Amino acid sequence: GAAAGDPSPPPHSEVPPPALPLPPAAPAAALPPAVSPAVPPAASAVKKSASSKVVGKLRDNELEGLNLLVVEDNHFQLRIVRATLQNSGLTLDVALHGQEAVDAVKKRIEGGQKLYDLILMDSMMPVMDGATATREIRAIEAAHREGMSAEERAERCPMTMIIIGLSAEAGPDYVAESKEVGMDGTMGKPCRPEQMREMLKEVHAGKWKRGSFNSSSKKANLHY
């Protein structure tokens, strides 16, 4: 009896063990549904962010012919500026402080080049601050124009170089100082890409007038 019972129980006793691992296989099969629902939201988020970046984006070469000098010592802000202006067609120069900005303007004059159409001037920087740099640039510009004929002034040094101050604290005192030193407007920091694009379009179209804080600069100043 023992010899006959020994062969038969093992096959029966070995069959259930393979069946026992099967239940864990069911939860394993349930894992893909738990992971797959997380994929569509991520994909849709990418689509949304991609579409949001396209809205208000500058068209290729939309600002062609515009000469811009950005005076800013914050490298993060400079990355935003470069990304915002990518493929816009403008010529971009960068100065890390006020003295570099003054030197950049002098270099253009010495090279017989047209002055910048727009300078975005940070307020607080090492070496030379934005207000001092603006005073010096306006003095250099005036001296440069004095020795020119009317035709030369119109061609190489028209009274259209706009200087816009950038400040994280663009309050009434800053606005008053900006006007006094010869700026044409102020914008708060950090500069929002969509606001910068609109401002550049206005400068490119000649809507920013030299010597006065137009409505766009007031809106920019009040916005921050």
Side-chain angles (χ1 to χ4, degrees):
D6 287 338
S8 55
H12 291 290
S13 61
E14 289 177 9
V15 173
L20 289 174
L22 292 178
L31 286 176
V35 174
S36 58
V39 175
S44 64
V46 170
K47 288 180 182 177
K48 284 181 181 178
S49 85
S51 63
S52 66
K53 288 179 182 177
V54 173
V55 174
K57 184 179 179 181
L58 291 167
R59 298 190 304 274
D60 286 355
N61 300 318
E62 185 173 357
L63 301 176
E64 188 171 6
L66 191 71
N67 293 284
L68 170 64
L69 173 63
V70 176
V71 191
E72 172 64 74
D73 65 329
N74 185 310
H75 291 279
F76 175 74
Q77 184 68 60
L78 287 174
R79 285 200 297 271
I80 293 176
V81 171
R82 287 193 175 98
T84 302
L85 305 180
Q86 191 172 12
N87 300 325
S88 65
L90 61 68
T91 299
L92 173 63
D93 289 342
V94 171
L96 298 179
H97 51 72
Q99 184 60 59
E100 285 190 358
V102 172
D103 293 342
V105 172
K106 286 180 179 178
K107 184 177 179 180
R108 280 193 165 247
I109 291 174
E110 291 166 1
Q113 295 175 281
K114 179 177 175 290
L115 293 181
Y116 292 103
D117 299 295
L118 172 64
I119 298 177
L120 296 181
M121 181 74 72
D122 189 21
S123 57
M124 302 298 293
M125 295 176 290
V127 184
M128 183 185 289
D129 61 48
T132 303
T134 300
R135 282 194 186 94
E136 291 204 17
I137 288 171
R138 289 306 190 203
I140 293 168
E141 180 187 21
H144 180 49
R145 285 174 58 82
E146 277 184 15
M148 287 184 170
S149 66
E151 292 78 12
E152 286 177 320
R153 288 176 184 175
E155 181 182 352
R156 293 195 289 132
C157 192
M159 292 284 287
T160 55
M161 185 167 64
I162 303 297
I163 301 180
I164 297 175
L166 306 177
S167 176
E169 301 177 2
D173 291 341
Y174 175 67
V175 170
E177 180 185 43
S178 300
K179 289 181 180 179
E180 190 270 324
V181 299
M183 293 186 186
D184 306 292
T186 61
M187 286 188 69
K189 289 176 60 179
C191 295
R192 297 183 180 180
E194 64 274 15
Q195 200 166 24
M196 179 176 289
R197 284 191 290 265
E198 288 306 309
M199 177 266 295
L200 288 167
K201 288 178 186 178
E202 290 183 359
V203 172
H204 191 243
K207 294 180 180 178
W208 280 67
K209 301 305 178 184
R210 171 73 176 271
S212 63
F213 274 51
N214 65 18
S215 59
S216 294
S217 64
K218 289 178 182 175
K219 287 178 184 176
N221 184 62
L222 293 173
H223 183 76
Y224 289 91

